[in-house]
Amino acid sequence: MQITSSYDLNRVFRVLVVDDNAEFRTVLTKQLEKMGGCVESAGEASSFLSKFTTSIFDYDFCIIDLQLPDLYGDKIISWLRESEDYKVCSMPILIITGFPTELAADIRLDGLTTALLSKPYEYSDLKEKVSRLLKGHKRIH
């Protein structure tokens, strides 16, 4: 289990990332921090879910890769969306994947609460997607 974090209470937003590629997570973390984000990440679904359910911090959104070794990302998304907890089921999600055609049919992309970013991507595209997800989301404590 590999979990990293960059907690800073003065950050603009908090995000939880799951992607099994450590190099990609490092680059993504640096990009999100450049935008003012406080990033916590995991390399597998089980670590992500553990961190999500036990963290004392609230996240403003999650970034989820679809191709994970222990559980596909669409299953994580379904778990979040089916939760009875409003903070969980309304969590904005950025799906980031090299396999955008493998998105489950029941995952609705509206651009406001669930958005898709295909790998490889441009930094400007990441900024635009993050900005859009954060725009309509207020942190609930």
Side-chain angles (χ1 to χ4, degrees):
M1 171 168 53
Q2 182 181 25
I3 297 176
T4 59
S5 66
S6 62
Y7 274 124
D8 178 347
L9 296 176
N10 297 317
R11 292 293 183 155
V12 175
F13 60 85
R14 296 191 185 285
V15 58
L16 181 58
V17 174
V18 61
D19 194 294
D20 61 323
N21 183 315
E23 290 177 33
F24 176 76
R25 275 195 326 273
T26 299
V27 170
L28 180 59
T29 295
K30 289 179 181 179
Q31 291 174 331
L32 292 164
E33 288 173 341
K34 183 177 178 181
M35 287 184 253
C38 179
V39 183
E40 198 161 350
S41 68
E44 56 194 31
S46 58
S47 299
F48 172 91
L49 293 169
S50 175
K51 184 56 80 174
F52 187 88
T53 58
T54 62
S55 179
I56 61 169
F57 296 102
D58 289 322
Y59 300 107
D60 295 297
F61 67 101
C62 295
I63 296 179
I64 301 173
D65 182 28
L66 292 181
Q67 296 289 325
L68 298 170
D70 55 339
L71 183 70
Y72 283 137
D74 58 351
K75 300 296 183 198
I76 298 171
I77 296 166
S78 294
W79 176 81
L80 291 168
R81 293 296 181 240
E82 293 169 6
S83 173
E84 293 181 12
D85 183 336
Y86 179 77
K87 284 189 341 184
V88 176
C89 71
S90 65
M91 175 70 57
I93 299 169
L94 177 58
I95 302 165
I96 194 161
T97 184
F99 304 94
T101 58
E102 294 185 15
L103 189 63
D106 62 332
I107 305 296
R108 286 184 274 128
L109 299 172
D110 61 10
L112 298 174
T113 60
T114 308
L116 177 68
L117 186 61
S118 296
K119 296 177 191 174
Y121 61 85
E122 297 291 328
Y123 176 67
S124 60
D125 294 331
L126 175 65
K127 282 178 59 175
E128 184 268 327
K129 299 282 185 179
V130 168
S131 176
R132 194 176 314 164
L133 286 175
L134 291 173
K135 194 172 198 173
H137 177 69
K138 291 184 179 178
R139 188 180 295 163
I140 301 169
H141 297 282

